[in-house]
Amino acid sequence: MSSSSRGRIAFKGIVNAPTSCLRCSSLPHARPIARFYSAATTAATPSPAAGDSASASTSSNPVDIRSGLILTRPPLLTRTLHPFENAFFFYQKRLEERLNTPFVTDIYFKPDTPRKTEWDLKVAERKGVAKELGAFQGKMSQSWSDELKVGDDMSSQEFIVKSLLKDAEVRVSDDAEIIAEKDIVPIEGPQSRLTEADKKNDIKRLDRKLENTLYLVVKGKNGWAFPEDSVKENENLHTAAQRVLDEAAGVNMNTWIVGRVPVAHNSKGDKKTFFLKGRILAGQADVKGSPLGYTDFQWLTREELEKVLAPEYFARVRNMMADR
């Protein structure tokens, strides 16, 4: 097919395109064939001439081009570190502390000040070691024999966070008075990575699985899938995907389509669906009164989608999903 003929092909309607190259088109009995790109155009297609087997086989198999949208909520938190990563962080911190020059307190603290008093108090609690993540032998001759063993609680993320928060507490008042243990104001730690939606396993909320990507799936007459619909006349995949989202999950979401190039494709019978990718910034899905007939929705991770979607359907879209 020549470049000029390729430019004439559209998603909707019927076009007459040469079936061979220029050299073959000059042969006797060479004729163009009608190509169908939507089931909606079948009624307007002229019936094939008698004896034209090529036209007959083409008109009997119209293709319904469909556009779908894979709407995602990206991860909101960095992933939880592996125990080996925590241990490596602790190792690097101790290595840096040993190789650096000693901490000279006279440069940072003036004598007989509340901050100097507080520093001396904390160093005494650490058994003379000016480090906030546990006491070790410093730069003595046996300093290299106290490395952490595998599985040591001291290298866990919980211990590191607890030690840093404890070290940040104010122990001496502005009047250079040591604050009683009961009067020390604790430092508020980071919020839990598990939300109420995680604890209740509410798969309709967007504030769940904050370390993972969530995908919007809707329930139709054929089960759970990504929202999709046929491309209408004079409509491209990009605008069709936005219309499909509005009709499938309502307009109460602030979303944007990442690009105009499909990221996945699903072909079943005479239906060919091209999926585009979108992001949700705010709002929530609402399938009540959906013109496309969807009755329910869920926000699921990739692992959860594998259990909900049909195996052959998931196999066709899994490669476009992020690892987390």
Side-chain angles (χ1 to χ4, degrees):
M1 183 184 296
S2 64
S3 60
S4 61
S5 63
R6 286 198 300 268
R8 295 164 52 197
I9 296 179
F11 285 112
K12 293 293 182 179
I14 307 171
V15 295
N16 291 330
T19 59
S20 58
C21 62
L22 295 178
R23 182 176 63 84
C24 297
S25 62
S26 61
L27 298 176
H29 307 295
R31 67 170 62 189
I33 63 173
R35 296 196 173 185
F36 302 87
Y37 292 92
S38 173
T41 63
T42 305
T45 306
S47 58
D52 192 346
S53 59
S55 297
S57 60
T58 305
S59 60
S60 62
N61 295 294
V63 177
D64 181 15
I65 299 297
R66 302 172 68 84
S67 177
L69 186 65
I70 300 177
L71 189 66
T72 63
R73 188 225 64 188
L76 303 181
L77 297 178
T78 56
R79 64 177 177 83
T80 302
L81 294 180
H82 189 274
F84 177 81
E85 293 174 311
N86 280 318
F88 184 76
F89 163 77
F90 201 103
Y91 166 77
Q92 290 284 13
K93 183 173 178 60
R94 281 195 166 181
L95 181 63
E96 181 182 7
E97 290 169 345
R98 283 169 174 165
L99 297 179
N100 287 344
T101 55
F103 180 72
V104 182
T105 58
D106 295 339
I107 298 177
Y108 296 92
F109 305 111
K110 294 182 179 180
D112 300 327
T113 59
R115 300 287 76 82
K116 180 62 167 61
T117 303
E118 184 175 23
W119 174 261
D120 294 338
L121 178 63
K122 292 181 178 180
V123 170
E125 293 177 349
R126 299 172 188 158
K127 301 178 181 180
V129 180
K131 312 302 177 186
E132 70 274 14
L133 293 183
F136 56 97
Q137 300 181 35
K139 297 187 177 183
M140 297 185 298
S141 59
Q142 301 297 323
S143 62
W144 299 98
S145 62
D146 65 348
E147 293 297 340
L148 298 178
K149 296 183 174 62
V150 176
D152 196 312
D153 292 337
M154 190 176 293
S155 66
S156 66
Q157 189 171 3
E158 292 75 12
F159 176 85
I160 294 175
V161 172
K162 183 179 179 180
S163 299
L164 294 176
L165 294 177
K166 182 67 176 177
D167 184 75
E169 293 177 352
V170 178
R171 305 291 300 277
V172 179
S173 67
D174 294 337
D175 299 330
E177 297 289 339
I178 298 178
I179 301 176
E181 188 72 26
K182 63 178 181 178
D183 297 329
I184 295 177
V185 179
I187 303 299
E188 184 178 357
Q191 296 295 322
S192 173
R193 289 174 173 261
L194 292 178
T195 64
E196 289 297 324
D198 291 321
K199 297 176 182 178
K200 297 179 181 179
N201 195 27
D202 190 346
I203 53 181
K204 293 183 180 294
R205 290 174 56 171
L206 282 161
D207 59 339
R208 63 183 297 265
K209 302 292 184 182
L210 302 181
E211 300 180 14
N212 304 97
T213 300
L214 295 182
Y215 299 87
L216 174 67
V217 289
V218 290
K219 186 177 183 180
K221 60 180 180 179
N222 296 324
W224 292 99
F226 297 113
E228 63 177 75
D229 190 28
S230 298
V231 177
K232 297 181 179 180
E233 188 174 357
N234 299 325
E235 190 178 40
N236 56 38
L237 292 176
H238 181 261
T239 56
Q242 184 62 58
R243 174 183 59 81
V244 167
L245 178 62
D246 295 341
E247 295 181 355
V251 295
N252 297 325
M253 291 186 293
N254 183 8
T255 62
W256 66 287
I257 298 179
V258 176
R260 302 193 177 191
V261 178
V263 295
H265 168 258
N266 181 36
S267 179
K268 184 176 182 181
D270 61 347
K271 296 181 180 180
K272 295 185 180 296
T273 305
F274 296 91
F275 293 101
L276 281 75
K277 197 169 186 176
R279 293 285 199 193
I280 180 171
L281 305 178
Q284 181 57 286
D286 182 11
V287 297
K288 185 177 180 180
S290 170
L292 301 181
Y294 295 117
T295 58
D296 201 1
F297 73 93
Q298 294 178 349
W299 290 98
L300 304 178
T301 63
R302 177 174 179 169
E303 291 73 16
E304 293 169 337
L305 283 176
E306 189 173 2
K307 302 176 182 178
V308 172
L309 300 179
E312 64 277 4
Y313 186 92
F314 179 79
R316 294 187 178 101
V317 299
R318 64 182 178 182
N319 290 334
M320 70 84 210
M321 298 183 185
D323 292 337
R324 70 177 189 92

